[in-house]
Amino acid sequence: QVHVAESGGGLVQAGGSLRLSCAASGRTFRTYAMAWFRQAPGKEREFVATIGWSGGPTDYAESVKYRFTISRDNPKNTVYLQMNSLKPEDTAVYYCAARGGPASTRQSQYDYWGQGTQVTVSS
């Protein structure tokens, strides 16, 4: 019912910024909560940020609070993750996910996933 696809990843030096985009298709997109997760090499996939269908509420992992901002533009069927002050430990594959319910930090509650986009932060 909903397809999502991430873009905007790349290589950046520590302290730099990137903006990830997640383009979604499906007539119910505007009613879906969205989230970003990430998986670093050798580690389990972890929660990054989430946003409700109306643009709120939002929630962030402690490790990215005050550095990352999640937002959405429903007319464009797109969700964004603005990443500032990037650190080498932010290096990971970043995944966009969607669910037909409230914003959530739990992977198991998301129904639709993108294929991921690589973010590499060099020191």
Side-chain angles (χ1 to χ4, degrees):
Q1 188 174 19
V2 176
H3 283 82
V4 297
E6 308 92 338
S7 63
L11 176 64
V12 64
Q13 292 186 346
S17 298
L18 284 173
R19 189 179 75 162
L20 305 183
S21 298
C22 175
S25 62
R27 60 183 174 87
T28 62
F29 169 77
R30 68 180 183 87
T31 69
Y32 276 62
M34 305 291 294
W36 290 93
F37 296 84
R38 67 185 183 185
Q39 187 168 24
K43 295 185 177 181
E44 186 176 342
R45 188 160 57 188
E46 65 179 0
F47 166 76
V48 176
T50 188
I51 187 168
W53 69 268
S54 65
T58 59
D59 198 9
Y60 298 89
E62 290 295 326
S63 60
V64 307
K65 280 185 177 179
Y66 314 118
R67 297 191 298 121
F68 292 10
T69 302
I70 188 171
S71 62
R72 66 191 295 163
D73 187 338
N74 286 342
K76 295 183 178 179
N77 290 349
T78 302
V79 64
Y80 305 98
L81 185 68
Q82 178 66 46
M83 305 185 294
N84 298 325
S85 301
L86 283 162
K87 305 174 181 179
E89 49 264 47
D90 295 317
T91 295
V93 176
Y94 284 71
Y95 297 90
C96 180
R99 71 180 298 256
S104 173
T105 65
R106 299 181 178 182
Q107 295 184 60
S108 62
Q109 294 192 313
Y110 286 85
D111 304 306
Y112 305 99
W113 292 80
Q115 295 186 19
T117 185
Q118 177 71 47
V119 172
T120 302
V121 184
S122 62
S123 60

